């Protein structure tokens, strides 16, 4: 029996999405097969409405000969609102096998047309409650239902943030609903399946409503009510009965309103909750709401209600604190062991009126005191006042904090030590599927990878933010743009970015200019590398997921951005005017400046070209031939002018910085000799700087890629392996558990960069993750064919610290795995390729005759497409798992390499003396013990000197003794 199976069905990236309003949803599936080289030859999709037995088929695609298995459009009759559509898929493969029908999956439509909304926006009656007052509102309504309920749904939304309760129970586990969009233009509504909770007889629904992004304090200290000054709710309940009838209950002015226990709640500042003010039973029936105020109908300036587009925000992990201690300043502080974003939940048993105050911060200062300086005016303070009726549990509702440390005040008995078991940290972010894992033989690099992932978790909270802690937390466009390739390795970000791009599009100005932050609450706009999010992000989503619809939807926005730039320059083909952030926060900036040394018109013109190229490629994908021509022409001219303006006839760049060289290479601004020279100079710049970077937001994301691409992969690896200032691993060695905003957020002397702008959780520099997946491990794709339909596997053995690397990525087609391991004698490479894709694999430095695959020599196995090249053996394979093994000719010997980072710290003379002891008579001391030399050749010299592995280990042990301050990294 062979296995061929269709599984992991998704509709619009999601498994069984409830309440979508997409008219032609797209279906994707994965194929599992036990035969290598499986390709889909044909598929069939069937869809029913309401009917799990598939007796009445609403749409049958018929057998379609095609290898398409992702984003296949629903092609049936127009969809009905509020309907559950069941679907199933079967496929045929290239071995003439046919699968059974897949398991049944579904999607359910929401309200598809504005005319279906019967609800009214309501807010408390100002006669009873000051609508501008701070406490969160409670809204409630009782209603009676007949017996025979077959299904019940709640559709609705609110401004700012809401939580929903039905018959005394919280509905759904989503947090911070309805999320953050450009509210005036687009507001998401949510759908809840409440069939189980509805009762025949009397029911009660309750809504809690707080300020959130809509009207809370945002951006500047005196800035409130950005979108409006009234909170309001808009809900509609549909109940269906077994007699075929339906009942609709909506928000209207028969609802009652009150304030409750939440007396203050805001995104930046935290929440104050007085449990004594709880209204026991407020969301249950038979509650006496006589004293509650009424509600009034509120006119709302909202033009578009859209069904939830992004995955919801949820608690995704619960962390236990690792410690609690008293600081030198006398504060009691909890340590979560991880800079996290979310909230603290705690239990307490204390007399009525006990006030507990939690103040959240990211770091301790060099004296060990909790440091609030970098929060700017965000208070990040949670206060809880007990009701004193036994054990109480609390976590704030409508806010989140960025923190590792929490200062606790007023917890009963805290002077004798906090009962840590009563506290947990709830990690909160957009609940995206984790898709990528990276791991290698270097523990510091592994920690860096974790920091990158934590940075993403902390800043993907419905919008991609720059920071989650200080009084900012905004959707900065450049940050999102530089990080998206890494982000999409780590997590499935299709819905997340689709939603955000729609906000970008509606917030873009009529002249095509793009605001600095999306949603646009800040006002500034127009900077190169920031506005280019408009082209880079849809293109990256398309490449990663093969999502043409996103490209089609954004195409006008992409084009408008390029056309906006085109109007800026004094010369049509240069962008040499206007404000630009430049190479933001680069270390080659002048004293007290945020802007790096790279010429800003240089950067702007490179991004002009980059966006134009993307636009041209997008036009190609969408079959827009006129635009293909138009923008090819524009691109050629920009590149020509760029070379005229910024590159000398002998190929030298006018801006002699690392970043200038990086982006010129990365975005193919130079060709031929100039390209070679640019790569060479970049390498020189790094050598001169002892393999340290000085790049900022513009150069950093691409420096490693540009080096590897320009033929200097070794240098890229050396750069990564630096662990003194400035470097990625410097942060790690300073104890970072997330990625910092500045290379010197904490300086070598332990002091901080200015309070003005210092986030310890900023993902921009985490953009190296992309290169780690692609180049250190070696998973990439053929850029001409999106979504990893054609996978490229190219492990790169370089740098003595990497003897092992493993990356796994859950692509739209299924899991891709690459794991390689060098031992003294052999290279072992394991690869997994999902069905319906193919892969090109390079086995570096291998010779055909020497390669074993599984337990057979390659030459006699079933892979028949291979070729010996100067780089190694190249193979083309289909799906399946492969294990390659061959002699290690790479020159890398793990046993000599384990501890070399230690050696880096030693004085040459010292090292030679030690070596002499172990290898007397050695004439020329191998240079391995100098700070510079680490080449493979030198390692080989050690071998020649008859140093056995054990001896080398002994030497290293002695070296370590001498340098006790050197932190062991194993
Ligand atoms: C600060 C942050 C952000 C950056 C802007 C220009 O707010 O560093 O990440 O994009 O400046």
């Amino acid at each position: 029996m062979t296995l061929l199976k269709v599984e992991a069905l998704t509709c619009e990236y999601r498994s069984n999405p409830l309440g979508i309003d997409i008219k032609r949803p797209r279906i994707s599936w994965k194929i599992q097969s036990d035969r290598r080289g499986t390709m889909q030859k044909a598929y069939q999709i069937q869809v029913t409405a309401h009917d799990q037995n598939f007796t009445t088929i609403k749409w049958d695609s018929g057998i379609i000969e095609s290898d398409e298995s992702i984003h296949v459009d629903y092609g049936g009759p127009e969809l009905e609102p509020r309907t559950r559509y069941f679907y199933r898929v079967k496929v045929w493969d290239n071995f003439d096998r046919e699968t059974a029908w897949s398991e049944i999956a579904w999607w359910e439509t929401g309200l598809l047309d504005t005319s279906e909304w019967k609800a009214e926006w309501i807010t408390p009656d100002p006669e009873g409650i000051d609508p501008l007052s701070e406490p969160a509102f409670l809204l409630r309504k009782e209603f009676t239902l007949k017996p025979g309920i077959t299904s019940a749904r709640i559709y609705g939304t609110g401004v700012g943030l809401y939580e929903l309760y039905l018959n005394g129970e919280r509905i759904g586990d989503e947090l911070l609903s309805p999320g953050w969009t450009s509210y005036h233009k687009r507001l998401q509504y949510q759908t809840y399946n409440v069939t189980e909770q509805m009762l025949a007889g009397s029911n009660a629904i309750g809504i809690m409503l707080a300020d959130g992004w809509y009207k809370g304090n945002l951006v500047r200290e005196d800035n409130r009510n950005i979108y409006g000054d009234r909170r309001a709710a808009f809900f509609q309940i549909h109940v269906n009965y077994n007699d075929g009838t339906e009942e609709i209950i909506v928000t209207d002015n028969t609802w009652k309103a009150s304030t409750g226990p939440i007396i203050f709640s805001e995104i930046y500042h935290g929440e104050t909750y007085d449990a004594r003010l709880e209204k026991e039973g407020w969301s249950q029936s038979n509650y006496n709401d006589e004293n509650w105020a009424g509600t009034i109908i509120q006119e709302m300036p909202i033009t578009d209600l859209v069904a939830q587009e992004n995955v919801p925000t949820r608690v995704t992990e619960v962390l236990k604190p690792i410690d609690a201690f008293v600081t030198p300043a006398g504060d009691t502080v909890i340590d979560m062991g991880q800079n996290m974003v979310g909230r603290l939940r705690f239990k307490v048993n204390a007399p009525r009126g006990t006030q507990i105050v939690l103040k959240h911060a990211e770091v301790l200062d060099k004296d060990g005191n909790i440091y609030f300086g970098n929060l700017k005016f965000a208070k990040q303070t949670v206060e809880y006042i007990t009701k004193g009726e036994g054990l109480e549990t609390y976590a704030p509702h409508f806010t989140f904090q960025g923190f590792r440390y929490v200062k606790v005040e007023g917890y009963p008995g805290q002077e004798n030590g906090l009962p840590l078991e009563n506290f947990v940290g709830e990690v909160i972010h957009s609940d995206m599927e984790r898709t990528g894992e990276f791991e290698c033989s270097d523990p510091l690099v592994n920690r860096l990878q974790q920091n990158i992932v934590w940075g993403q978790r902390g800043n993907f909270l419905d919008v991609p933010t720059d920071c989650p802690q200080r009084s900012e937390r905004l959707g900065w466009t450049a940050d999102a743009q530089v990080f998206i390739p890494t982000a999409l390795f780590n997590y499935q970000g299709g819905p997340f970015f689709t939603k955000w791009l729609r906000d970008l599009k509606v917030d873009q100005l009529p002249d095509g200019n793009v605001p600095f932050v999306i949603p646009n609450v800040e006002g500034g706009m127009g900077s190169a590398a920031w506005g280019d999010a408009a082209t880079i992000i849809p293109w990256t989503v398309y490449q990663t997921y093969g999502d043409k619809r996103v490209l089609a939807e954004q195409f006008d926005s992409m084009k408008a951005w390029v056309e906006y730039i085109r109007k800026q320059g004094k010369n049509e083909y240069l962008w040499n005017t206007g404000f630009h952030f430049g190479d933001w926060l680069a270390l080659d900036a002048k004293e007290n400046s945020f802007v790096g040394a790279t010429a800003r018109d240089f950067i702007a013109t490179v991004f002009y070209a980059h966006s134009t190229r993307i636009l041209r490629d997008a036009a190609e994908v969408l079959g827009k031939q006129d635009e293909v021509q138009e923008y090819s022409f524009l691109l050629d001219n920009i590149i020509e002018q760029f070379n005229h303006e910024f590159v000398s006839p002998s190929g030298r760049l006018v801006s002699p910085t690392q970043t200038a060289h990086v982006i010129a290479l990365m975005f193919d601004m130079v060709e031929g000799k100039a390209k070679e020279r640019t790569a060479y100079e970049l390498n020189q710049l790094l050598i001169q700087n002892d393999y340290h970077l000085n790049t900022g937001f513009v150069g950093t994301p691409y420096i490693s890629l540009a080096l590897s691409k320009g033929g200097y992969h070794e240098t890229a690896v050396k750069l990564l392996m630096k662990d003194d200032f400035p470097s990625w691993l410097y942060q790690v060695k300073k104890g970072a558990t997330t990625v910092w905003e500045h290379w010197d957020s904490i300086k070598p002397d332990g002091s901080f960069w200015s309070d003005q702008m210092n986030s310890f959780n900023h993902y921009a520099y985490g953009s190296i993750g992309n290169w780690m997946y692609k180049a250190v491990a070696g998973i990439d794709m053929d850029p001409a064919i999106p979504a990893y339909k054609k996978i490229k596997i190219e492990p790169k053995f370089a740098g003595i610290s990497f003897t092992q690397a493993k990356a796994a990525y859950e692509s739209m087609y299924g899991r891709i795995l690459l794991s390689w391991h060098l031992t003294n004698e052999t290279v072992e490479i394991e690869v997994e390729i999902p069905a319906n894709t193919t892969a090109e694999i390079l086995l570096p430095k291998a010779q055909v005759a020497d390669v074993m695959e599984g337990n057979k020599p390659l030459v006699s196995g079933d892979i028949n497409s291979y070729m010996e090249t100067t780089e190694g053996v190249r193979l083309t394979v289909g799906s399946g798992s492969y294990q390659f093994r061959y002699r290690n000719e790479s020159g890398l010997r793990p046993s000599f390499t384990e501890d070399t980072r230690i050696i880096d710290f030693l004085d040459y003379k010292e090292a030679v003396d030690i070596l002499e002891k172990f290898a007397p008579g050695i004439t020329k001391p191998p240079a391995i013990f100098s700070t510079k030399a680490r080449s493979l050749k030198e390692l080989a010299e050690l071998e020649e000197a008859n140093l056995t592995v054990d001896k080398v280990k002994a030497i290293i042990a002695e070296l370590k003794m001498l340098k006790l301050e050197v932190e062991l990294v194993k």
Side-chain angles (χ1 to χ4, degrees), residues 376 465-467 470 472 474-480 516-517 522 530 579 581 584-585 594 697 741-742 757 759 762-764:
K376 296 180 80 177
T465 58
D466 63 330
C467 58
R470 69 176 176 229
E472 190 169 331
L474 303 177
W476 282 96
T477 41
D479 307 47
F516 295 155
V517 305
E522 200 264 358
W530 270 251
F579 167 81
F581 288 108
W584 191 241
L585 309 188
F594 285 154
F697 274 41
E741 180 172 23
H742 300 261
M757 204 182 79
S759 158
H762 222 78
Y763 50 56

Side-chain angles (χ1 to χ4, degrees), residues 538-547 551 781-788:
W539 184 247
T540 313
V541 173
Y542 162 72
Q543 282 199 305
T544 313
Y545 303 129
D547 187 338
L551 269 194
M781 69 169 111
D782 181 336
I785 303 162
Y788 295 87

Side-chain angles (χ1 to χ4, degrees), residues 157-158 160-164 170 173-181 183 187-188 190 192 210-213 265-267 271 308 311-315 341-343 396-401 428-430 460-463 473 499:
T157 187
L161 302 174
Y162 75 85
E163 276 180 7
L164 202 58
R170 170 85 208 276
D173 55 0
E174 297 84 350
L175 297 172
L176 304 167
S177 297
W180 189 9
T181 48
Y183 290 129
L187 175 65
Q188 296 188 123
Q190 286 71 39
Y192 303 92
D211 284 353
W213 295 284
S265 191
E266 280 199 6
I267 302 282
E271 191 164 290
Q308 170 87 21
V311 295
T313 299
R314 290 198 178 98
V315 172
V341 174
R343 61 188 183 186
H397 297 249
F398 298 110
T399 183
F400 60 90
Q401 286 75 46
I428 294 174
H429 53 87
S430 290
F460 274 51
L461 207 157
D462 210 42
V463 299
R473 314 184 187 190
K499 162 183 170 279

Side-chain angles (χ1 to χ4, degrees), residues 30 45 109 137 161 228 251 317 321 377 408 476 494 519 528 551 570 691 732 824 830:
K30 293 173 184 170
I45 305 173
T109 51
F137 301 142
L161 302 174
T251 42
E317 191 178 347
F377 63 86
V408 182
W476 282 96
L551 269 194
K570 293 180 198 131
Y691 299 100
V732 174
N824 280 348
E830 193 190 331

Side-chain angles (χ1 to χ4, degrees), residues 432-435 453 456-457 487-493 545:
M432 303 162 294
E433 181 200 349
R434 180 79 189 264
T435 46
V453 171
Q456 179 164 1
R457 298 177 77 179
L488 298 191
F489 261 118
N490 292 331
Y491 284 94
Q492 165 42 264
Y545 303 129

